[in-house]
Amino acid sequence: MSYPRVASLKNGEAFCRHLADSSIDLPFDEEVQTGPQSPLGRSVQVHDQSIGNRFCILPMEGWDGTPDGKPTDLTRRRWRNFGLSGAKLIWGGEAVAVRHDGRANPNQLLMTKANCGEIASLRQELVQTHEEHFGNSNDLMVGLQLTHSGRYSRPNEKKRPEPRTVQRNVVLDRRVGVEDDTAIFTDDELKQLTDDFIVAAVEAERAGFTFVDVKHCHGYLGHELLAGVDRPGRYGGSFENRARFLTDIVEGIRGATNGLNIGVRLSVFDFVPYCPGEDRIGIPEPGNEPRKTFGGNSTGDGMDLSEPSRLIELMHRIGIRMVCTTAGSPYYNPHIQRPAFFPPSDGYQPPEDPLVGVARQILAVAELKKRHPEMLFIGSGYTYLQDYLPNVAQAVVEREMADSIGLGRMVLSYPDLPADVIAGNDWQRKKVCRTFSDCTTAPREWIVSGCYPLDPFYKAREEREQLKAVKAKLQK
Ligand SMILES: Cc1cc2nc3c(=O)[nH]c(=O)nc-3n(C[C@H](O)[C@H](O)[C@H](O)COP(=O)(O)O)c2cc1C
Ligand code: SF4
């Protein structure tokens, strides 16, 4: 597989030539406009509220909460950076578990009554930082992402998976050590979990969040339920049953809160799990089951948007107006989820030019936006565009292929990118994320996450040496 690094494409012309030569279909605006009336600077309305521009900060956890699920100084710093970014939509901050057994790691935040004050102050610090930089927060919208990590739960010890699943899956069971049916949630347990989401949403409203995200992506519980075709009972089999967890939670939140809004982060398509093949290049893992991918087709590495589209229609019927899109899972097919030049330590070499992965997400979202123009769509996976992110982002918004541009890794290395783009400030090339994947490798090696290569704060931390040593050992 050979393709150039984006940093080696010296200008927009070279970038576009590479796209054309590789038949990668991405829109591109040569001139990026600035100011509040520019395509990326313009506000957008949802739920009778104005969101002040078209940048959104995607949720990103740092594996750095306290053992009882409260934020630490590292968490607070990350949220303050989200506030100073200039983005007017903060999608969830980071994944916050609704109860202990659903934490993806023993340092994940936990939305309980006991933690409500601390999580409220985290939001407050973000808002205050935003106000310090931009004068006010009238058109800033901040939500909280609520989750149960399901198959990827590790609540007690970093190195000990304690998976809870919804159906058997040959490849994924093998990976997390599921050997029998005891890890599968019963219907009664899922009913209890529904109530736990509702309680957490009540706390989120009390903490001042405008909306909660009922997370349905990345292979975690909500997402796995959508693919639960083999599950018997109330939550499996038919489309209606697979969507029941979401619809019950939404109904419960509506009854228990005072008008708290609800959004969904959704993996809008999925592929089968990948593993390293020859030369460590990713291949679909043998034994995979394409029928258990939500939004995947029968080949295992293609998409079928019919069910995701049906789900979005259902969401609209139950009053949801915002979908934060993503794809696949960072655990079993990271190349479709967060395209990168350098894979994380437990990954595989990209089986395609990562720009193909960027385009796949953008085009899938454009198709869904076309089918559901009444919904507000946030796109993801833009970081790999690097220096050309603003050009593609503007073109996407102008062509109504998405309403808002989600930023993940890029804001870890270049937190003030949205403010720079909208104000027309100089592009800070040295802060551009080059997708080294250290922010993913670190937590996979049980080290707190952060941008160790580019963020001076993490560069100076002792964990950087630890990470270097682990990477050197893995490369041997
Ligand atoms: C360190 C790290 C932590 C993440 N944590 C979350 C999370 O808590 N919730 C979530 O929905 N996505 C999470 N993601 C995925 C991002 O929100 C985003 O979808 C992904 O990085 C692709 O966008 P990008 O190309 O802009 O990085 C995380 C990504 C990274 C790199
Ligand atoms: S560690 Fe920094 S440069 Fe590497 S992918 Fe993460 S944000 Fe980007």
Side-chain angles (χ1 to χ4, degrees):
M1 203 67 238
S2 98
Y3 38 81
R5 288 185 190 196
V6 172
S8 73
L9 303 168
K10 289 299 174 207
N11 51 40
E13 205 184 315
F15 180 76
C16 289
R17 202 174 320 118
H18 170 62
L19 293 182
D21 290 348
S22 310
S23 306
I24 299 171
D25 186 9
L26 273 175
F28 184 95
D29 279 359
E30 220 160 284
E31 287 296 317
V32 177
Q33 299 169 46
T34 60
Q37 291 314 317
S38 63
L40 292 167
R42 266 200 290 272
S43 63
V44 61
Q45 292 284 124
V46 69
H47 292 301
D48 290 331
Q49 244 176 286
S50 181
I51 300 172
N53 61 38
R54 303 308 183 99
F55 280 114
C56 168
I57 304 299
L58 297 173
M60 273 177 297
E61 41 169 339
W63 290 257
D64 51 17
T66 62
D68 59 349
K70 295 186 172 75
T72 59
D73 287 348
L74 289 178
T75 326
R76 292 181 186 285
R77 176 182 184 269
R78 188 169 53 257
W79 282 56
R80 283 198 302 274
N81 274 355
F82 294 167
L84 67 78
S85 70
K88 293 289 187 178
L89 178 57
I90 311 294
W91 190 278
E94 62 188 90
V96 177
V98 299
R99 63 184 208 197
H100 179 73
D101 74 338
R103 294 167 87 186
N105 62 82
N107 299 97
Q108 188 168 52
L109 298 185
L110 198 51
M111 192 63 208
T112 56
K113 209 175 193 123
N115 291 352
C116 182
E118 296 256 6
I119 292 180
S121 73
L122 193 58
R123 189 200 74 94
Q124 191 48 41
E125 274 188 51
L126 182 158
V127 172
Q128 198 180 320
T129 310
H130 188 84
E131 288 171 353
E132 281 160 18
H133 284 76
F134 306 100
N136 67 69
S137 56
N138 302 340
D139 53 2
L140 173 71
M141 190 184 274
V142 187
L144 188 71
Q145 182 175 62
L146 298 180
T147 192
H148 186 290
S149 304
R151 182 176 285 281
Y152 299 105
S153 300
R154 287 174 188 243
N156 295 307
E157 281 178 38
K158 290 178 181 171
K159 299 188 183 180
R160 191 173 83 219
E162 297 181 51
R164 298 305 313 269
T165 66
V166 306
Q167 68 181 352
R168 301 301 302 273
N169 182 306
V170 176
V171 172
L172 298 182
D173 281 356
R174 197 160 57 213
R175 290 192 185 185
V176 292
V178 170
E179 289 171 354
D180 56 34
D181 291 354
T182 53
I184 299 179
F185 271 124
T186 64
D187 281 6
D188 284 347
E189 286 173 323
L190 285 178
K191 169 76 188 71
Q192 175 57 52
L193 184 54
T194 302
D195 293 343
D196 295 328
F197 266 83
I198 298 163
V199 170
V202 169
E203 294 304 320
E205 184 177 51
R206 209 155 65 85
F209 291 93
T210 310
F211 70 95
V212 286
D213 162 20
V214 183
K215 186 174 187 179
H216 275 67
C217 62
H218 299 166
Y220 296 112
L221 190 87
H223 184 212
E224 191 165 41
L225 272 166
L226 293 176
V229 287
D230 280 356
R231 186 187 167 91
R234 294 185 76 237
Y235 298 94
S238 69
F239 172 80
E240 286 74 16
N241 283 357
R242 284 180 280 128
R244 188 185 308 281
F245 186 65
L246 174 63
T247 51
D248 283 359
I249 291 174
V250 170
E251 192 186 327
I253 293 176
R254 297 243 185 270
T257 60
N258 301 308
L260 179 69
N261 290 317
I262 302 168
V264 174
R265 187 143 207 234
L266 178 68
S267 283
V268 295
F269 61 85
D270 200 1
F271 287 4
V272 295
Y274 271 56
C275 65
E278 216 175 299
D279 295 331
R280 294 198 60 76
I281 295 172
I283 53 163
E285 184 161 328
N288 64 69
E289 299 159 280
R291 40 193 295 282
K292 294 181 185 169
T293 57
F294 180 73
N297 67 18
S298 58
T299 64
D301 61 358
M303 56 177 137
D304 175 355
L305 294 179
S306 47
E307 279 213 332
S309 180
R310 198 171 160 196
L311 184 69
I312 291 167
E313 193 183 303
L314 171 69
M315 287 183 203
H316 187 256
R317 270 206 310 278
I318 59 176
I320 293 174
R321 294 290 177 270
M322 299 186 285
V323 194
C324 183
T325 64
T326 175
S329 164
Y331 295 101
Y332 56 77
N333 47 28
H335 73 287
I336 67 167
Q337 200 266 327
R338 54 185 79 155
F341 198 89
F342 304 95
S345 60
D346 62 348
Y348 45 81
Q349 291 298 330
E352 61 190 11
D353 184 334
L355 285 171
V356 173
V358 176
R360 189 184 291 114
Q361 284 198 50
I362 290 178
L363 298 180
V365 177
E367 175 58 31
L368 290 169
K369 176 71 192 171
K370 199 156 80 186
R371 294 189 201 178
H372 307 279
E374 65 287 357
M375 297 289 273
L376 185 104
F377 281 91
I378 295 106
S380 299
Y382 284 72
T383 289
Y384 187 77
L385 293 164
Q386 302 168 47
D387 306 280
Y388 306 107
L389 188 156
N391 308 73
V392 174
Q394 175 177 298
V396 164
V397 169
E398 281 235 278
R399 289 161 183 70
E400 298 182 7
M401 296 166 73
D403 301 286
S404 178
I405 304 300
L407 299 177
R409 292 162 293 178
M410 188 63 91
V411 286
L412 297 180
S413 66
Y414 190 168
D416 42 353
L417 177 145
D420 275 357
V421 170
I422 292 170
N425 296 337
D426 286 345
W427 182 246
Q428 301 183 59
R429 200 158 188 267
K430 66 178 191 317
K431 288 182 164 180
V432 173
C433 167
R434 300 294 173 196
T435 66
F436 296 120
S437 289
D438 281 11
C439 51
T440 305
T441 294
R444 297 286 159 84
E445 303 302 326
W446 305 290
I447 299 169
V448 292
S449 177
C451 182
Y452 290 94
L454 299 181
D455 179 346
F457 177 84
Y458 281 92
K459 261 186 177 175
R461 287 183 66 85
E462 62 185 31
E463 288 93 340
R464 187 177 187 214
E465 294 311 314
Q466 210 184 329
L467 183 61
K468 270 192 190 161
V470 171
K471 282 174 70 175
K473 207 161 131 197
L474 289 168
Q475 272 155 16
K476 276 189 192 150

